[in-house]
Amino acid sequence: MRDRVVLADGSVLAFQDTGGPGPVVVLAHGGTTDSRLWMRQVPVLAGRFRVITYDWAGHGESADPVGPYARHEQLLQLLDQLGVDRAVLVGSSDGGKLALDAALLRPERVDGLVLVGSGVSGYQWPESFLTLYRQRVHEVVGPEPRDLETYVRATVEFLTAGPGRSWTDLDPEVWRLALEMFRTITRREWSGSARFEARDLEPPAFGRLDQVEVPVLVVHGTEDVPGIVELSELLAGAAGINAAGIKEARHAVLPGAGHLPPLEQPEEFNRVLLDFLDTLTAGPAGPRSSA
């Protein structure tokens, strides 16, 4: 059982606050997972950092949203409640999107960003990505999926394994947990309890990437969906394709990993994450701890 906090917008979030007084590292999961995504990161980080994980509203052990809300604002409200002035934000998938939105909204509160197979608010996925999703998911379950288990398995296989692999290529425990997390989320969504849609930052992050002033690490797996890989490369400025984007970003590519490297390749992911955090703490001031 996790601790719970009531945010300024009335939502109740479940969270875990582990480790010492700082520097603070916040781990934000994505839309198909919950905070268990980070189970292999928290013990490694907690010896040196204050580590905060939490479940989105409507996910994991958190309550459903009680009204219109924004995930990046809820992250900042959580930091307020926990007395955290500044933090490094680590986000997987749409957890990266909300972390990037939070950094643009309140840059004085963010010391660094780690974007793992990240989305970006305002980014339009290319038709090739949408076509592949339809082929791998909708052609299996139909345009209006009714069988929860078929839908969950098709979606998790598409993202967690990637379109070039099948679920049999994953470690059985990775496959089991990925299914369990998304099954619980989907069952909750289909019940109609989580009826409020989250809003993104306005104006959105895409088109404002040059305003990101903090150090950034972009991570993706080689087996992730091609459209997500392309967006990660754009964020990182690979091959000079992001001249108007993030000013300075490090880029880590994890061979053989799909959309969830923290779960599928925890040792390698932890290595690149700690290397990045070391560059922040070695700076002239380093990340500050809690307020």
Side-chain angles (χ1 to χ4, degrees):
M1 183 67 68
R2 293 172 153 254
D3 293 324
R4 283 170 171 74
V5 63
V6 181
L7 303 182
D9 68 6
S11 296
V12 179
L13 295 191
F15 73 94
Q16 182 180 32
D17 191 348
T18 308
V24 181
V25 178
V26 180
L27 306 175
H29 66 80
T32 64
T33 60
D34 57 43
S35 57
R36 286 176 290 177
L37 172 70
W38 307 110
M39 59 190 297
R40 299 293 183 86
Q41 282 68 57
V42 172
V44 173
L45 296 175
R48 296 172 49 190
F49 302 93
R50 179 180 173 186
V51 184
I52 297 169
T53 62
Y54 71 102
D55 292 322
W56 288 5
H59 289 63
E61 296 182 23
S62 290
D64 292 331
V66 296
Y69 72 109
R71 294 192 180 104
H72 61 285
E73 293 176 358
Q74 290 197 331
L75 170 57
L76 294 167
Q77 292 173 28
L78 176 64
L79 297 184
D80 289 340
Q81 293 286 348
L82 299 181
V84 174
D85 179 33
R86 300 174 66 93
V88 177
L89 307 181
V90 182
S92 170
S93 192
D94 274 357
K97 179 172 76 171
L98 73 88
L100 186 55
D101 283 355
L104 286 168
L105 181 64
R106 297 292 302 277
E108 76 280 2
R109 304 199 61 179
V110 179
D111 283 316
L113 288 168
V114 181
L115 308 176
V116 187
S118 181
V120 178
S121 61
Y123 178 73
Q124 298 297 314
W125 293 106
E127 185 57 35
S128 58
F129 173 88
L130 301 176
T131 298
L132 187 57
Y133 178 81
R134 287 191 290 266
Q135 291 172 346
R136 293 297 301 267
V137 178
H138 283 173
E139 290 185 8
V140 173
V141 303
E144 296 184 6
R146 300 182 185 278
D147 182 81
L148 184 143
E149 193 62 26
T150 301
Y151 172 70
V152 167
R153 291 180 68 90
T155 303
V156 171
E157 183 175 41
F158 175 62
L159 287 174
T160 306
R165 301 187 297 175
S166 77
W167 67 271
T168 60
D169 294 306
L170 298 172
D171 179 277
E173 178 58 22
V174 170
W175 174 244
R176 183 200 67 78
L177 181 57
L179 283 176
E180 180 180 319
M181 290 188 287
F182 190 54
R183 182 186 297 115
T184 302
I185 294 163
T186 304
R187 184 179 292 117
R188 201 164 171 177
E189 290 178 346
W190 286 17
S191 74
S193 60
R195 62 187 182 280
F196 295 103
E197 291 290 333
R199 67 179 185 279
D200 294 330
L201 180 69
E202 286 294 338
F206 196 69
R208 299 173 58 194
L209 298 176
D210 60 331
Q211 297 175 24
V212 177
E213 298 288 348
V214 297
V216 177
L217 170 65
V218 177
V219 183
H220 76 267
T222 57
E223 301 305 312
D224 205 343
V225 180
I228 297 174
V229 172
E230 291 168 8
L231 179 56
S232 294
E233 291 175 340
L234 186 151
L235 288 170
I241 62 176
N242 193 25
I246 294 174
K247 295 177 182 178
E248 184 175 354
R250 296 177 61 176
H251 190 196
V253 180
L254 302 187
H259 193 52
L260 303 178
L263 191 63
E264 187 179 0
Q265 291 192 5
E267 292 184 0
E268 184 62 16
F269 177 78
N270 291 347
R271 183 187 66 77
V272 299
L273 175 58
L274 285 170
D275 284 350
F276 177 71
L277 294 174
D278 284 343
T279 66
L280 301 184
T281 56
R288 301 180 195 178
S289 61
S290 59

